[in-house]
Amino acid sequence: MTTFPVVPRQGAFRKPLATELQTLSDTTYVRVERDEELAIVVIDRQDKLNALNSDVFSQLGRAFDDLARDADLRGVIITGAGEKSFVAGADIGVLSQMDSLGAVRISREGQQIFLMIERFSVPVMAAIGGFALGGGLELALACHLRIASDNAKLGLPEVGLGIIPGYGGTIRLARVVGLGRAVELTLTGGMIDAEEALGLGLVTAVVSRESLLEQAKKRMRRVTRNGPIAVRMALESVYHALDTSMADALNFESTLFGVLASTEDMKEGMGAFSEKRKPEFQGR
């Protein structure tokens, strides 16, 4: 496995909306590890339970900017360093000092990065070990797939701090688990364990903490063995349908279906099925 640190550089990531990012520290909080066709994005701020701050957001955005240019990439796994936490929310020390304009800036900074992840061109899986609270759960919700370790604790505790989720949690949680449970979890601010998250459909598997990353890779490779263009367009169709009418969603789906009929991957997939062999997709 090859490791590529995401080196923080002033101005390396585009400015969120019209605001400027805070000056980056000299610390690398996000690193990218490569395992064949997969990239593992590790958030490593263990002294703060991998809590999010402006540096983490900037480095996370930079990592996905770089990955977007990788033609050989087929899947991304996001996880947190250490045994205790995936991401234990946003940095309370920063949040406690914000005024109204600062709060809007912080919210939109996070929203922009998470939207980038949700709209990423290859599948992104959250491998949740330990705490995924507040912004950590919101990050996981922005991913296309989620699995959890048996020690995972998930929740949106913001109302207990006198605020609300600001990185898309009030929208995405309801889309994943349904309105009733999303409202309950958001308004109580309570935590749930991995098994309850599995029952809600918030995660699709619960595995041991020791096997979390390997299980994430194994499950992601069930996706990456399929036609990469088809996988990308399936994601586009699913997420496009969330924000449009049924008629428009159906029209978009049929258009993508037609585009795929012109690809070499479709011919390879159909041919391999007829010949009873495994397809060898080339992404063309």
Side-chain angles (χ1 to χ4, degrees):
M1 179 184 293
T2 306
T3 301
F4 305 94
V6 179
V7 180
R9 298 185 302 175
Q10 180 68 23
F13 180 61
R14 63 180 178 273
K15 296 176 183 177
L17 303 177
T19 63
E20 295 188 8
L21 294 175
Q22 298 174 3
T23 302
L24 296 177
S25 73
D26 294 328
T27 305
T28 298
Y29 293 125
V30 177
R31 66 179 184 271
V32 179
E33 301 170 355
R34 192 60 186 264
D35 188 350
E36 298 179 351
E37 83 282 19
L38 300 179
I40 296 86
V41 176
V42 183
I43 299 173
D44 191 348
R45 196 176 176 228
Q46 295 183 57
D47 60 323
K48 299 292 186 180
L49 296 177
N50 304 326
L52 301 168
N53 65 6
S54 188
D55 290 335
V56 176
F57 277 130
S58 299
Q59 293 173 30
L60 194 57
R62 167 76 181 278
F64 274 87
D65 271 344
D66 291 344
L67 289 171
R69 294 189 287 270
D70 188 339
D72 297 322
L73 184 68
R74 295 291 179 265
V76 179
I77 297 168
I78 301 179
T79 195
E83 299 297 314
K84 296 181 179 179
S85 182
F86 171 68
V87 170
D91 193 319
I92 301 300
V94 174
L95 297 184
S96 65
Q97 301 301 314
M98 63 188 178
D99 57 16
S100 292
L101 291 178
V104 171
R105 180 190 61 78
I106 289 170
S107 174
R108 291 181 179 173
E109 178 183 52
Q111 288 176 355
Q112 183 185 45
I113 301 300
F114 290 177
L115 192 60
M116 172 192 286
I117 293 169
E118 185 175 71
R119 293 180 176 176
F120 201 61
S121 60
V122 303
V124 182
M125 174 184 286
I128 304 167
F131 294 113
L133 303 175
L137 180 54
E138 291 176 288
L139 171 58
L141 287 165
C143 298
H144 309 121
L145 303 161
R146 288 164 296 278
I147 69 168
S149 65
D150 50 15
N151 74 329
K153 300 290 185 181
L154 305 92
L156 295 175
E158 285 88 347
V159 292
L161 299 173
I163 58 174
I164 66 170
Y167 303 143
T170 60
I171 298 110
R172 291 190 178 99
L173 184 60
R175 290 176 171 179
V176 173
V177 305
L179 181 61
R181 290 310 306 270
V183 169
E184 178 186 20
L185 288 170
T186 303
L187 297 189
T188 63
M191 287 192 296
I192 60 174
D193 62 21
E195 289 297 332
E196 187 171 357
L198 179 64
L200 290 174
L202 182 52
V203 300
T204 56
V206 176
V207 301
S208 69
R209 183 65 185 89
E210 296 75 17
S211 68
L212 176 63
L213 187 55
E214 288 308 311
Q215 285 294 321
K217 293 177 183 178
K218 180 179 178 181
R219 288 173 178 274
M220 183 60 86
R221 286 190 165 115
R222 295 178 185 174
V223 175
T224 61
R225 69 189 182 191
N226 298 314
I229 303 175
V231 168
R232 184 177 74 245
M233 291 191 176
L235 277 178
E236 288 182 17
S237 186
V238 168
Y239 282 90
H240 178 79
L242 293 175
D243 300 311
T244 190
S245 67
M246 175 63 80
D248 181 66
L250 290 172
N251 182 63
F252 187 69
E253 182 189 65
S254 65
T255 299
L256 296 180
F257 193 75
V259 170
L260 287 165
S262 67
T263 64
E264 294 180 23
D265 278 0
M266 190 219 54
K267 297 179 178 62
E268 170 62 15
M270 299 287 185
F273 180 82
S274 298
E275 296 163 14
K276 296 181 173 57
R277 60 175 175 82
K278 291 184 178 180
E280 297 181 5
F281 294 114
Q282 301 299 317
R284 298 195 295 267

